[in-house]
Every structure is written in C-alpha cells, then in structure tokens.
C-alpha cells in the first residue's frame, strides 16, 4: 500500500481551502499501481463519475460499500463478483497528489473510516 496523504475526518478541502469532512482516505502510490478490493463483494459501479474520475464501487452486503476513485484504468466491470485482494483498477495522477486514490467506505447511513479494512488487506495494496 502507498502512503496516506489525507485521512478520514475533518480537514481543509484542497480545492476550496474551506473546512470540510473528508469521507475517505487518500493514498499515494506510483502511477498505474494495482488497486485491490479490501473485501469480497459485487461491483456496482465501474465508470467515470463527477468529482471522482474513474470510480469503482463494491457492495459488500449488509449495507457496506467501498469506493475506489481517481483510477487510471478499470480491471473490473459492473456486476462482477470480486474477492478480497483482487485487482479492481489502477492508480492515476490527480491534481492534488500524483498517483493518489481515494478509498471511502460507508454503510446505508454514514461514512465509515476505511483504515481498518485497508490495513488488513492480504494483497498489501
């Protein structure tokens, strides 16, 4: 896994400079590095999305989803089942941080800090 460039929680928005709640974790890594699923699930979105660029969303069941944003390419398609550690895309360069990707987890009601899922991913992404 790359290094954390921005954590979950309160922060200054890098674009507006205003205070904002960051609902994900930003991870910097080399351009084109593989991005691994943090848990088993079904890909519900694998497309370009405003504000997130190339985005993959995995539904893990029980109302839990994980979002992988700012990708350079997809390696998964909507509707596909993925296993923990499987590659779902590749990192891109974004204006804020080269090679960055945002990882966001949420349940049906609120964002969840994804760090606990990231640090236990067997593939080491």
């Amino acid at each position: 896994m790359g290094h954390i460039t921005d954590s979950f929680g309160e922060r200054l928005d890098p674009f507006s400079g205003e205070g904002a709640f960051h609902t994900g974790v930003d991870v910097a890594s080399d351009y084109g590095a593989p991005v691994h699923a943090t848990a088993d699930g079904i890909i519900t979105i694998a497309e370009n999305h405003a504000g997130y660029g190339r985005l993959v969303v995995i539904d893990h069941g029980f109302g839990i989803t994980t979002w992988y944003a700012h990708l350079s390419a997809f390696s998964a398609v909507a509707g596909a089942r993925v296993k923990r550690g499987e590659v779902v895309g590749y990192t891109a360069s974004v204006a804020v941080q080269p090679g960055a990707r945002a990882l966001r987890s949420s349940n049906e009601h609120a964002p969840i800090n994804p760090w606990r899922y990231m640090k236990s991913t067997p593939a080491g992404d």
Side-chain angles (χ1 to χ4, degrees), residues 39 58 77 80:
I58 301 175
V77 296

Side-chain angles (χ1 to χ4, degrees), residues 60 62 81 98 105:
H60 304 289
F62 309 103
R81 290 188 178 277
S105 293

Side-chain angles (χ1 to χ4, degrees), residues 87-104:
V87 175
V88 297
Y90 300 90
T91 59
S93 291
V94 295
V96 178
Q97 175 71 43
R101 69 177 161 95
L103 178 66
R104 173 180 142 185

